[in-house]
Every structure is written in structure tokens, then in C-alpha cells.
């Protein structure tokens, strides 16, 4: 019964697109959208008491069939997907209602794509089969690429093309590595792969190529270049889904490799990539004026933290932090989305949440959670990552945490800077953001009911650093543009990115094979 | 005839990898967006060729139930699924290029 969790949304996506074709009334479309969003809950609740659940489709043996499972590895990811999609589903009903600006594809058509994304991500999280994982992740990524392209924002199509080309490239490298794994182990099922695994050179090459593909898809520095534009140009609910959940799909792929194969030979390069991703994106986030770009770079940096957990071979910490990140990052995108619609700009200096107390509170909670302040949800995941580090790594980790707090203090400072207009705003979107904020606290207290005095020192250090940077006018600096804005410039960009991708692959392979 | 040119060194796997590298090279040197999409398609053809040839058993039979000693049908079947993805992504890339050009004009 478990696979139905992925089937329901896909089926409802089909129904929504059919009702569009037959021009049925909007009520039917919205109803089938909501059925698609909420129906997977029923199966999840039915199976909640007796997990782990492991079934092979059609009752075949593992050799012939596709295995799906809910267990300790994916339980949290599935739970957070259900929560985020339910809330974003309701949010997008009113968001696309209000935004009736005409574009090529709007409103009702977006619902089909959101459901396809839902089914694709759910299928990825459930499966224990390598090729099945790939196919579902392609469904999810194609849906998200079209969702980005559907935004009315200028440059959205350009961002979407870049997104597509990088995904296209990394997918084929992933298929190539799947081929090597199949020929060496004779199976695509992860359990059977782990049974037949002999760590030969070929298998090491295959796992390395797969990891580079996952790093690209997860948007981790230095293969992150598609992410900031794609996540910042999309509509608010779409950004929330992309930053919250789509980037977790490759993370789950890495987790499967971590649990079922041996990736110890990759520990050092993964750790270097993780730390450089964390620190690089902090610098980039500090230099941004566009509020959604700050959040997008923050995703690059947070994915670095998740990769760090994987590099320290700690699957539980990676899953916990992915859970936490999905919750607070989607909440932040939803909250900021409300402000952007209200003020009609993305410039951090022109936005304010002084007229909306609930939203103000929610954004403060999210930013503290991202900084890893206890007892919010981020603290639990960060504690798990920290336990695997030693020596110099611990210092870098704290620098990363302080850096994260710096650019979010800057964000909060700018949001409170404007004068209050007197009138208080209330909206459904704001309420939904507040629900996510409450969940951030509730899960935080449930998983990690402790208070760490060290957090106060971190916040203090971040505030001090913020004041110094403010005094030095660092926040006013801009990142220079390298490529021109026309199609020609885009071609050059793709050339450069493909070259970096190849270079990255080669350097990983040289490290593994030397 | 092909064997006489390659001297017997070239098998389908190797040809697949070579195509993949040609595709990657094309993606790095071509500025034109359509040519980039074509390069990626060359790359994907390489991957398909590589994967399909993994199931090859020399002198193997057609994979039907009554046959023994047959080739592995799984890689070819899996590539059918991946081909569909390839077509969808190519179509999407071309559509995006068209839209971008329209926006520029």
C-alpha cells in the first residue's frame, strides 16, 4: 500500500490537467488538487505504528521487483514532505488566486506541476531501487524546472534553462555510474547491491561519479551556479518547495549510498567541498541585496552542512538536518513571499514586516532556527553534525554558524528598519507561515529539549561581527556580473559551468584513483 | 568492416564512453544554445550505447522464455525509460530556447 503515497498525487495531477482541458469549474480543479495534496497522509498514518515497512511491488522477490520502504532512513523526510506540501498547497491556493497577472501558464496549470513535483519527490523518498530513484527524481526535476520557467519574473526562463542543462548533464553521468554498478553487482536494488559489493576501482569510480552528480543536483558549491537564480526567480510557494524539498532528493540519494555502500574513501574531498560551500555562500549571502537571493545562497550554505554530516558518515544527523532545513527554509520563503507580494519589490531595504507582528515573529524564529539556536529544530541537527567533527573542523563549523547568523541579523535589521505604517496586516499566507514557525519550535522541543548557553555567545559574536561589517559598509558592496544578459551570454555561462563540472569530476576521480 | 578499421579494439562500451566525451566537449566549446542541446543528446546517446551493451552476451539468444543462453534484457529495458526522459528534457530545452528568443525580440 505504501507506493500509493506517490501514486495519489500523480493521479490527481492527471485529473487536474484533464479538468483544465475539459474546462470544468474551478471548484473541481481545486478539489482534486487538495485531494492529491492530502491523500498521502492517510497511508502514512495507517503505516505509522508498524514501521519499518518494506515491500517489493507486485509481491516479486527483490531480484525482480522494485522495493519500497518506510524506515528510520526516510521517515523524517517523508513526514516533512507531507507537512510542507500540505501547508504550501493551501498557501498556493490563495497565492495564485491573488496573482492573476497573465503569463504563459498560470494558476490552475501550476497545480498540476506542483502535484507532479509532490509525486516525484515522494517516489524518490520511498524507493530502494537505484533506477527507480533516478526516474522519480527526473519527474520531480522536470516539474520543478517548468515551475521555475512559469514565473513572470524577468530572467526566469534563463534561470530555468541553466537549471535544465545542469540537471540534464548530471543525470546522464548518474545513469553512466548506475550502469557500472549494475554490471559489477548484478543488481539495482540497494540491499542486493550491498550484499554483492566488492570495493573495486570500477565501483569507486561509479560512486564518485554518482556523488558529483548528486552534489550538482543538490546545488552545493562549486557546482551550485544554477541554484541562486532558479530559487530566487520562482514564485514564493515554488521557491519554498524547491529550497525545502527538491534539493533533499539528491541528499536522499547520497544517504542511500552512505547506508548501503562504503563511501569512506570519499570522506576528505566531501568534507572540503562541504566546508567551502558553507563559507563561500555566507560571503555571497552577505553581499546580496535581493532578499530571495540571500535565502537561496543560504540554501547552498545549509546544503554544505548536510553534506558535512554525510562526509562524517552520520546518516541520522544528515536526515535530521535535512528535516530541519526543509521546515525552516520553506517557512522563510513563504514568509518573505508575503512581504514581496505586499510591497512589490525584492530589495531588502524597501521591505518591512513591522506591520505584521505574526510574520515578524515567524521570521525571527526561522532565522534563529537556521543559526542552530536551541531549543529550535536546527539545534538538534547541528548537534549531530558537530559530534562527528574534531580539531580544526569544529572551529570551521562554529565560524559557519556565526556567519549564518550574521546575514540573518542583517536581514532582520533591514526588515525592522522601516517606519511602521500603523495598520496591521493579516492574511492566510501569513497564518500558514506562523504555523510552520510553531512547528519549528514544537519539533525542536520534541527532539532536543535542552538549552545551550553557548548559543548566546554565538549570537553575541555574530552581532558584533554584524556591527563591524556594517561600519565597514560591506553590506553595500555588490558582486560584479561576469556574463552579459543576452542569449549569447547564457551560452558562455553554460560552457563555463560544463567545464567546471568536468574539472570537478576529473579532480575527484584523480583523488580516488591515485 | 568496422572491425577492420578499429582493429578489433573498439567495442560498444568504449564507443559509448567516446561519444559521451565528445558530447561533453561539445557542451564546453559551443556557445550556441541549440548546439548545446545537440551536444547533450550526443552525450546521452553515448550513455545509452554504453548501458545497452552491458547486457550483451556474445553469441547470446533473443531474451524469450523458451530460449536459453540469452542476452540480459534489463539494460535495454531500462534505457527505454531513460530515452523517454531524454526526449522530454530535449523538448523542454528547445521550448525554453524559443521562449527566450521571443522575449529578446
Amino acid at each position: 500500500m505504501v507506493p500509493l503515497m506517490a501514486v495519489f498525487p500523480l493521479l490527481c495531477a492527471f485529473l487536474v490537467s484533464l479538468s483544465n482541458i475539459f474546462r470544468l469549474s474551478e471548484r473541481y480543479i481545486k478539489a482534486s488538487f487538495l485531494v492529491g495534496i492530502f491523500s498521502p497522509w492517510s497511508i502514512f498514518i495507517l503505516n505509522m505504528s508498524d514501521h519499518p515497512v518494506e515491500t517489493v511491488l507486485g509481491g516479486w522477490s527483490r531480484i525482480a521487483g522494485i522495493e519500497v520502504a518506510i524506515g528510520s532512513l526516510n521517515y523524517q523526510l517523508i513526514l516533512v514532505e507531507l507537512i510542507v506540501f500540505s501547508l504550501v498547497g493551501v498557501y498556493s491556493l490563495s497565492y495564485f488566486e491573488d496573482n492573476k497577472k497573465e503569463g504563459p501558464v498560470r494558476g490552475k496549470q501550476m497545480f498540476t506541476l506542483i502535484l507532479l513535483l509532490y509525486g516525484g519527490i515522494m517516489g524518490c523518498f520511498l524507493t530502494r531501487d537505484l533506477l527507480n530513484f533516478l526516474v522519480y527524481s527526473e519527474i520531480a526535476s522536470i516539474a520543478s524546472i517548468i515551475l521555475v520557467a512559469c514565473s513572470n519574473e524577468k530572467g526566469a526562463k534563463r534561470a530555468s534553462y541553466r537549471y535544465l542543462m545542469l540537471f540534464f548533464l548530471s543525470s546522464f553521468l548518474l545513469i553512466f555510474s548506475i550502469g557500472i554498478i549494475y554490471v559489477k553487482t548484478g543488481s539495482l536494488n540497494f540491499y542486493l547491491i550491498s550484499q554483492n559489493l566488492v570495493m573495486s576501482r570500477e565501483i569507486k569510480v561509479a560512486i564518485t561519479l554518482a556523488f558529483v552528480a548528486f552534489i550538482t543536483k543538490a546545488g552545493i558549491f562549486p557546482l551550485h551556479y544554477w541554484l541562486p537564480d532558479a530559487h530566487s526567480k520562482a514564485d514564493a510557494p515554488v521557491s519554498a518547495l524547491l529550497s525545502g524539498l527538491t534539493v533533499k532528493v539528491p541528499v536522499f540519494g547520497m544517504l542511500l549510498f552512505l547506508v548501503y555502500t562504503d563511501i569512506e574513501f570519499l570522506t576528505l574531498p566531501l568534507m572540503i567541498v562541504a566546508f567551502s560551500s558553507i563559507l563561500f555562500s555566507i560571503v555571497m549571502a552577505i553581499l546580496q541585496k535581493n532578499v530571495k537571493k540571500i535565502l537561496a545562497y543560504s540554501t547552498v550554505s545549509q546544503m554544505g552542512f548536510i553534506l558535512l554530516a554525510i562526509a562524517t558518515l552520520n546518516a541520522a544527523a544528515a536526515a535530521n538536518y535535512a528535516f530541519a532545513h526543509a521546515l525552516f527554509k520553506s517557512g522563510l520563503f513563504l514568509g518573505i513571499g508575503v512581504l514581496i507580494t505586499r510591497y512589490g519589490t525584492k530589495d531588502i531595504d524597501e521591505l518591512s514586516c513591522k506591520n505584521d507582528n505574526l510574520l515578524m515573529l515567524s521570521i525571527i524564529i526561522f532565522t534563529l532556527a537556521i543559526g542552530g539556536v536551541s531549543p529550535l529544530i536546527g539545534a538538534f541537527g547541528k548537534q549531530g553534525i558537530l559530534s562527528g567533527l574534531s580539531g580544526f573542523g569544529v572551529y570551521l563549523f562554529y565560524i559557519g554558524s556565526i556567519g549564518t547568523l550574521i546575514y540573518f541579523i542583517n536581514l532582520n535589521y533591514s526588515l525592522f528598519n522601516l517606519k511602521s505604517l500603523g495598520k496591521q496586516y493579516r492574511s492566510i499566507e501569513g497564518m500558514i507561515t506562523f504555523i510552520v514557525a510553531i512547528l519549528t519550535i514544537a519539533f525542536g522541543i520534541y527532539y532536543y529539549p535542552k538549552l545551550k548557553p553557548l548559543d548566546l555567545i554565538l549570537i553575541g559574536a555574530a552581532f558584533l561581527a554584524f556591527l563591524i561589517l556594517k561600519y565597514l559598509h560591506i553590506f553595500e558592496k555588490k558582486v560584479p556580473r561576469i556574463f552579459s544578459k543576452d542569449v549569447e551570454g547564457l551560452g558562455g555561462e553554460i560552457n563555463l559551468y560544463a567545464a567546471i563540472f568536468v574539472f570537478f569530476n576529473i579532480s575527484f576521480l584523480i583523488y580516488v584513483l591515485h | 568492416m568496422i572491425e577492420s578499421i578499429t582493429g578489433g579494439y573498439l567495442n560498444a562500451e568504449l564507443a559509448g564512453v567516446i561519444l559521451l566525451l565528445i558530447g561533453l566537449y561539445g557542451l564546453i566549446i559551443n556557445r550556441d544554445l541549440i548546439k548545446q542541446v545537440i551536444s547533450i543528446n550526443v552525450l546521452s546517446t553515448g550513455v545509452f550505447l554504453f548501458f545497452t551493451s552491458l547486457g550483451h552476451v556474445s553469441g547470446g539468444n533473443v531474451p524469450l522464455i523458451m530460449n536459453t543462453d540469452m542476452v540480459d534484457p534489463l539494460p535495454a529495458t531500462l534505457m527505454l525509460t531513460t530515452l523517454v526522459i531524454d526526449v522530454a528534457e530535449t523538448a523542454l530545452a528547445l521550448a525554453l530556447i524559443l521562449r527566450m528568443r521571443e522575449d529578446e525580440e
Side-chain angles (χ1 to χ4, degrees):
Chain A
M1 206 158 65
V2 175
L4 288 180
M5 285 174 78
V7 173
F8 279 146
L10 293 179
L11 185 70
C12 289
F14 182 63
L15 288 181
V16 171
S17 63
L18 267 192
S19 4
N20 271 328
I21 292 168
F22 292 118
R23 295 176 193 280
L24 293 183
S25 89
E26 203 151 300
R27 247 184 318 156
Y28 290 109
I29 295 173
K30 283 186 176 167
S32 36
F33 175 64
L34 286 177
V35 169
I37 291 285
F38 287 104
S39 50
W41 272 106
S42 57
I43 299 163
F44 184 73
I45 290 168
L46 279 178
N47 286 300
M48 206 150 74
S49 54
D50 49 33
H51 82 89
V53 191
E54 283 172 357
T55 42
V56 180
L57 294 189
W60 297 91
S61 73
R62 274 194 173 117
I63 301 171
I66 292 171
E67 188 181 354
V68 289
I70 302 180
S72 58
L73 189 64
N74 57 0
Y75 182 79
Q76 282 179 317
L77 285 170
I78 292 173
L79 178 64
V80 80
E81 188 192 351
L82 290 170
I83 294 173
V84 170
F85 262 99
S86 307
L87 293 171
V88 172
V90 180
Y91 183 101
S92 54
L93 276 186
S94 77
Y95 183 89
F96 289 118
E97 188 90 5
D98 296 334
N99 285 274
K100 280 198 170 145
K101 288 173 276 178
E102 278 308 309
V105 182
R106 295 303 291 173
K108 288 172 276 183
Q109 284 93 335
M110 295 294 248
F111 296 151
T112 314
L113 292 166
I114 290 177
L115 285 172
L116 279 177
L117 183 61
Y118 192 10
I121 296 176
M122 186 59 86
C124 285
F125 286 166
L126 286 173
T127 186
R128 291 292 153 92
D129 183 280
L130 201 44
L131 209 98
N132 193 237
F133 174 83
L134 179 93
V135 171
Y136 270 116
S137 84
E138 291 302 310
I139 295 177
S141 50
I142 291 182
S144 47
I145 288 163
I146 305 177
L147 278 169
V148 174
C150 288
S151 162
N152 285 332
E153 187 88 15
K154 204 164 174 259
K157 288 178 194 68
R158 191 187 164 94
S160 170
Y161 179 78
R162 207 181 294 144
Y163 189 174
L164 173 69
M165 289 311 261
L166 264 295
F167 263 64
F168 218 174
L169 186 57
S170 52
S171 290
F172 283 114
L173 262 285
L174 187 58
I175 297 170
F176 184 67
S177 76
I178 291 174
I180 302 175
I181 291 173
Y182 176 71
V183 90
K184 287 288 155 192
T185 62
S187 179
L188 291 168
N189 179 297
F190 269 103
Y191 179 75
L192 296 176
I193 288 174
S194 74
Q195 297 286 305
N196 303 330
L197 192 74
V198 180
M199 290 305 286
S200 58
R201 280 167 86 90
E202 291 86 349
I203 287 286
K204 281 186 179 176
V205 168
I207 293 178
T208 310
L209 290 179
F211 261 78
V212 176
F214 286 140
I215 287 175
T216 315
K217 285 169 181 258
I220 294 168
F221 175 81
L223 301 171
H224 68 286
Y225 20 73
W226 60 268
L227 189 144
D229 264 4
H231 286 199
S232 62
K233 304 271 185 208
D235 293 303
V238 176
S239 298
L241 295 177
L242 291 181
S243 244
L245 291 167
T246 313
V247 289
K248 303 299 178 299
V249 168
V251 168
F252 185 65
M254 289 194 242
L255 283 180
L256 285 173
F257 272 97
L258 169 61
V259 172
Y260 289 101
T261 66
D262 179 11
I263 62 156
E264 243 182 275
F265 65 98
L266 273 177
T267 309
L268 183 69
L270 286 186
M271 212 173 257
I272 294 171
V273 171
F275 276 122
S276 49
S277 185
I278 294 171
L279 299 176
F280 167 82
S281 355
I282 287 173
V283 176
M284 291 303 282
I286 286 175
L287 297 176
Q288 299 300 323
K289 279 276 157 210
N290 179 332
V291 62
K292 281 185 100 174
K293 276 239 168 108
I294 296 179
L295 299 186
Y297 273 110
S298 153
T299 301
V300 178
S301 152
Q302 299 298 311
M303 295 312 285
F305 278 107
I306 297 176
L307 186 67
L308 194 59
I310 292 168
T312 53
L313 310 179
N314 191 345
N320 288 336
Y321 203 64
F323 174 83
H325 181 254
L327 211 55
F328 51 60
K329 188 49 68 66
S330 47
L332 257 181
F333 265 113
L334 295 181
I336 295 292
V338 178
L339 291 181
I340 291 172
T341 328
R342 195 173 290 161
Y343 288 88
T345 171
K346 285 183 186 172
D347 192 332
I348 189 170
D349 294 327
E350 290 170 33
L351 292 172
S352 163
C353 55
K354 271 202 167 169
N355 311 318
D356 198 334
N357 294 337
L358 272 187
L359 204 60
M360 183 156 75
L361 190 64
S362 317
I363 290 178
I364 293 176
I365 291 170
F366 292 138
T367 49
L368 289 178
I370 294 191
V373 176
S374 57
L376 300 165
I377 183 76
F380 177 55
K382 279 202 167 156
Q383 195 57 36
I385 302 171
L386 195 58
S387 64
L389 294 172
S390 61
F392 193 53
V394 178
Y395 297 113
L396 281 178
F397 180 87
Y398 280 123
I399 292 173
S401 295
I402 293 175
T404 311
L405 283 169
I406 293 174
Y407 61 79
F408 276 119
I409 289 176
N410 180 36
L411 177 79
N412 279 322
Y413 174 81
S414 310
L415 290 184
F416 300 145
N417 216 7
L418 282 186
K419 275 188 181 165
S420 166
L421 298 176
K423 193 178 126 202
Q424 282 285 321
Y425 283 100
R426 281 282 175 278
S427 59
I428 301 175
E429 286 103 323
M431 286 307 289
I432 290 170
T433 315
F434 189 61
I435 294 173
V436 184
I438 291 174
L439 287 175
T440 313
I441 302 177
F443 277 115
I445 293 172
Y446 174 73
Y447 280 122
Y448 193 72
K450 291 177 200 162
L451 277 174
K452 282 194 302 175
L454 184 67
D455 291 338
L456 285 177
I457 301 175
L458 289 183
I459 296 177
F463 201 73
L464 197 67
F466 166 73
L467 289 178
I468 294 171
L469 291 179
K470 192 88 189 157
Y471 179 71
L472 296 173
H473 300 288
I474 299 287
F475 292 111
E476 274 94 66
K477 293 214 172 2
K478 274 188 179 168
V479 189
R481 206 187 164 83
I482 306 171
F483 291 100
S484 62
K485 275 190 170 178
D486 55 359
V487 176
E488 183 83 349
L490 180 59
E493 263 181 73
I494 301 288
N495 293 158
L496 177 67
Y497 300 154
I500 296 176
F501 180 80
V502 172
F503 175 74
F504 196 73
N505 266 301
I506 292 174
S507 34
F508 257 60
L509 285 178
I510 289 175
Y511 173 81
V512 170
L513 294 177
H514 79 262
Chain B
M1 195 234 171
I2 292 173
E3 291 223 331
S4 68
I5 301 171
T6 60
Y9 288 115
L10 188 70
N11 55 12
E13 279 106 326
L14 191 60
V17 175
I18 292 172
L19 269 181
L20 191 154
L21 294 176
I22 293 174
L24 270 179
Y25 177 69
L27 196 61
I28 294 173
I29 60 155
N30 283 316
R31 268 199 160 214
D32 190 273
L33 301 189
I34 302 278
K35 281 185 184 164
Q36 287 177 354
V37 176
I38 295 172
S39 300
I40 278 223
N41 274 296
V42 171
L43 186 153
S44 67
T45 314
V47 174
F48 296 149
L49 186 57
F50 172 79
F51 211 112
T52 319
S53 64
L54 294 178
H56 176 69
V57 176
S58 80
N61 267 324
V62 184
L64 294 171
I65 293 175
M66 55 270 199
N67 286 345
T68 53
D69 228 8
M70 49 194 187
V71 296
D72 185 358
L74 191 70
T77 331
L78 296 180
M79 280 311 101
L80 270 182
T81 323
T82 326
L83 265 172
V84 177
I85 298 171
D86 183 36
V87 170
E89 291 191 345
T90 310
L92 184 55
L94 293 175
L96 279 173
I97 294 171
L98 276 180
R99 281 250 182 254
M100 276 188 289
R101 294 233 170 108
E102 271 170 25
D103 285 355
E104 264 199 2
E105 273 160 16

